[in-house]
């Protein structure tokens, strides 16, 4: 069974992570994307999208999270 991953932050690096997770093979599944900017989420298709990380975690959409937000927001996202 694949590990369901959420990518938080749909900027340049977040979009890179989306591609990496999708290309990683059957052990991983891109399950959700999170960004406070709902327009940024329109660049991702075929996964659940959330504007709040808490919503993604509460929905059980993911088992692991990649934080790809600006460095100054990493601590808040991880907490």
């Amino acid at each position: 069974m694949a590990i369901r991953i959420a990518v938080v932050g749909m900027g340049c690096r977040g979009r890179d992570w989306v591609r990496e997770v999708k290309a990683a093979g059957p052990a991983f599944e891109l399950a959700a994307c999170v960004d406070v900017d709902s327009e940024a989420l329109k660049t991702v298709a075929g996964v659940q999208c959330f504007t709040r990380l808490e919503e993604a975690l509460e929905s059980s959409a993911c088992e692991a999270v990649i934080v790809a937000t600006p460095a100054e927001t990493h601590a808040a996202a991880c907490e």
Side-chain angles (χ1 to χ4, degrees), residues 59-73:
S59 75
S60 300
C62 59
E63 300 168 304
V65 175
I66 296 171
V67 178
T69 61
E72 63 271 10
T73 65

Side-chain angles (χ1 to χ4, degrees), residues 4 9 12-13 17-18 28 32 40 43-44 48-49 54-55 57 59 64 68 73-74 78:
R4 296 183 318 268
C12 292
R13 190 63 188 124
W17 275 113
V18 166
F28 303 99
T43 64
V44 184
Q48 290 182 289
C49 293
E54 295 83 3
E55 292 172 345
L57 297 174
S59 75
T73 65
H74 281 193
C78 292

Side-chain angles (χ1 to χ4, degrees), residues 33-47:
C33 290
V34 181
D35 199 292
V36 295
D37 180 2
S38 59
E39 288 297 311
L41 293 170
K42 292 180 180 179
T43 64
V44 184
V47 300

Side-chain angles (χ1 to χ4, degrees), residues 2-3 10 16 18 25 29 38-39 42 46 51-53 61 71 79:
I3 296 171
M10 290 294 102
D16 287 345
V18 166
E29 172 191 351
S38 59
E39 288 297 311
K42 292 180 180 179
T51 56
R52 295 180 53 243
L53 177 56
E79 289 174 352

